[in-house]
Every structure is written in structure tokens, then in C-alpha cells.
Amino acid sequence: MSGASVLYDVPGPKAKARNRIYSVLGAVAVLGLFAFAFLRLDSKGQLDPQVWQIFNYAGVRTSIRDGILTTLQVFAVAAVLSLALGLLLTVARLSDHKPIRWVATGFIELFRAVPLLITIYALWVILLTSRDALGLTGSQPQFWALVAGLTVYNGSVQAEVLRAGINSVPKGQREAAYALGMSKTQVMTTVLIPQAIRAMLPTIISQLVVTLKDTSLGYIITFEELLYTARLMSTNILVNGNDTYIPVITVIGSIYVAMCLALSALANWIERRGRRARTGVAATPAAEPAAAADAAEPAGPAADAPAATKD
């Protein structure tokens, strides 16, 4: 085995030649697949300039704008509620009282196991049947069904993330806080949770990105978010007798990617700010070392007192 790597042998001349051949064949296959897709789309008229000019219409741009705003509104409400629910479930699951701990554990395991689409659809049916009693009008049943489904699912996932972060905090810090006379609530809110959030921040933000993407499930319950708007446009707008699925999917997909990248960039910025933040107690600068002659002389008033003489 070569000393350059302890995981695998360095390829020899034959292996390198074989890898080059496989790489070239793979690249040719991928390019051929793209060329085939391009030619098929061109033959179907999906690459005609007229098809892509639909985005110059004011009505199309307004529909896309409204879909983006609705998606971001659902995401903002669901993100805040899921983080609050996750924090509450975390504290409940770490409680010393067994009934509270069992209820929190059952809630988390239930909504993590049930598919999110089923949860959203079931909540939508419940809200539709009770819309008069709840005073819901218009698209409010769809909105709150989507928000509630995203909240219970992502809140359960965030609870497990926060619980893992709290358990990763060294036990010595918890014991030291209890030794100082702090209550369990004070230990949780001032010692454990802040460190858990800081340690698990990348995972928390990743789950928020999942929450943003899962807002697209609202099209199942006819909620007019971005994906449902795209479906309506691609179905109702025809150019030269051809549908506009490919242009609409391309543009809407790019918007989703841009929103997720923006959220990830925000998370990275917050993480860098947290690393640069000055925390802890500043160290006291050390004093200048004393010279040997000065160290031998007594300090204080005793140095000026006359030496005692023997009678």
C-alpha cells in the first residue's frame, strides 16, 4: 500500500487509463442525454421564443409575485410556530415528570412517522367541515391547514434537533449551574438552550429550508401558493396550441432554488457572526515580571523601619 493514502491503493497505469476511458464515456453519455432532451423539447415547440415571452405579460408576472408572497407568508408563520413548538416539546421531553415526558415523546414520534401530506390533507378536511364554527372564510382553511401541518411536523423534527444539542452540552456545566443554586428553569434557559441552539444552528436552518420547500404541498389542497400558481399558468396558457409546462417549471424551479439559497446564505451569515462574537470573561493581562533585586527587598512600611539592635 502506498504511503500517500491509508484508505486505498494508488491506481496504477492500467487503472488510470481505465478511469480516463470511463470518465470520457460518462461525459459523452451525459452530453448525449442533454442533446436528446434539447432536440425533443425543440421538436415539441417548447424552446420557441414565443413560448418564453409569456413572462413579459403583466398578468403572469403578477401571478408569480402573488404566489411568491403567499409562499413566504406561509413559511414565515410556519417557521416561527415550528421553532416555538420544537422548543416546547424539547423542554417537555426532558421533563422530570413522566406523564409530560410520555405525552411529548408520543406527539413527536406520531407526527414524525405520519407523512406530511396526509397530515395537511386531514387538517384541511377538519377545517373545512368546521369553517363556520371557527369563522374561517375564503382560503383561510387551506392556509391554516398548511401552516398547522408544517408546524407539527417540523416542530417535532426541531424538537429532536434541540434535544440532541442539549444532550451534547457537557454535564459539568449543568452540575456547576446547579451547584451555584440555579433552578432547573434557569439552567435550561441560560445555560443549556443557548448552547444547544448555537451548536445545532446549521441543522436548524437546514430544517427551515425543508419547511420552505414543503410549502409546495399546498397545491394538493388548492391553496394558491407558488406551485399551485405555476400549475394554473401552465394549464391555462397555450402558445400556438402547445402548453407551457417547460418554461413555467424552469422559471418556478429557479425561484425555489433562489429562495433556498438566500435562506442558506442568511444561515451562513448568522453562523459566522456567532463565531466572531466575543463570549466569555476576558483574561486579565499579566503584570510585568519583577526583577531579582526588587524581589529580594521587603515591600511596604517594614522596609523603612530601623533594624532592631540587641542590648
Side-chain angles (χ1 to χ4, degrees):
M1 180 177 288
S2 173
S5 175
V6 297
L7 300 179
Y8 57 89
D9 292 332
V10 176
K14 292 184 178 180
K16 290 181 179 179
R18 185 168 58 249
N19 291 339
R20 293 192 188 99
I21 294 174
Y22 291 158
S23 300
V24 172
L25 293 178
V28 171
V30 172
L31 292 176
L33 182 61
F34 276 110
F36 174 77
F38 182 85
L39 293 176
R40 289 288 295 174
L41 292 175
D42 186 53
S43 64
K44 295 294 183 179
Q46 294 292 332
L47 300 181
D48 293 341
Q50 295 178 352
V51 177
W52 293 86
Q53 287 178 358
I54 62 173
F55 299 105
N56 293 328
Y57 300 151
V60 172
R61 294 199 299 267
T62 302
S63 298
I64 294 176
R65 182 201 63 190
D66 294 341
I68 293 173
L69 294 178
T70 305
T71 297
L72 293 178
Q73 183 182 5
V74 172
F75 165 71
V77 177
V80 173
L81 293 179
S82 63
L83 289 175
L85 179 62
L87 186 60
L88 180 62
L89 291 174
T90 301
V91 175
R93 188 159 188 180
L94 296 175
S95 175
D96 294 332
H97 303 285
K98 288 185 179 181
I100 297 177
R101 189 166 64 247
W102 290 343
V103 170
T105 302
F107 185 93
I108 291 172
E109 297 301 330
L110 173 64
F111 286 104
R112 286 178 63 200
V114 176
L116 177 57
L117 184 58
I118 295 178
T119 303
I120 294 173
Y121 191 82
L123 291 172
W124 178 51
V125 173
I126 293 173
L127 292 178
L128 279 180
T129 55
S130 306
R131 62 185 305 169
D132 295 333
L134 298 175
L136 300 177
T137 59
S139 61
Q140 288 182 349
Q142 292 91 324
F143 175 83
W144 288 112
L146 181 58
V147 168
L150 293 173
T151 298
V152 295
Y153 172 74
N154 291 282
S156 301
V157 177
Q158 297 285 20
E160 289 299 284
V161 171
L162 291 173
R163 186 173 69 91
I166 290 176
N167 290 334
S168 67
V169 177
K171 293 183 179 180
Q173 298 191 22
R174 183 181 312 179
E175 295 172 354
Y178 283 131
L180 292 175
M182 300 176 65
S183 63
K184 185 174 181 179
T185 303
Q186 292 174 327
V187 173
M188 186 68 69
T189 56
T190 61
V191 177
L192 299 180
I193 291 180
Q195 295 189 70
I197 293 177
R198 186 171 181 178
M200 305 304 293
L201 185 60
T203 308
I204 293 173
I205 299 298
S206 297
Q207 191 60 36
L208 289 179
V209 173
V210 174
T211 305
L212 176 59
K213 293 188 294 184
D214 285 344
T215 57
S216 60
L217 295 176
Y219 87 96
I220 296 294
I221 58 176
T222 67
F223 182 66
E224 295 183 2
E225 42 77 46
L226 184 57
L227 184 59
Y228 186 81
T229 301
R231 182 181 179 183
L232 290 178
M233 288 191 303
S234 59
T235 303
N236 298 327
I237 300 177
L238 299 178
V239 178
N240 297 328
N242 298 322
D243 57 63
T244 54
Y245 280 105
I246 298 302
V248 171
I249 289 174
T250 303
V251 172
I252 298 302
S254 301
I255 293 174
Y256 272 110
V257 171
M259 290 191 298
C260 292
L261 290 178
L263 185 58
S264 299
L266 176 62
N268 294 331
W269 178 77
I270 294 175
E271 188 177 2
R272 289 195 300 268
R273 291 270 302 189
R275 286 199 301 262
R276 290 199 303 264
R278 298 182 60 183
T279 58
V281 180
T284 303
E288 293 293 333
D294 297 337
E297 296 178 359
D304 301 331
T309 57
K310 185 177 181 182
D311 295 336

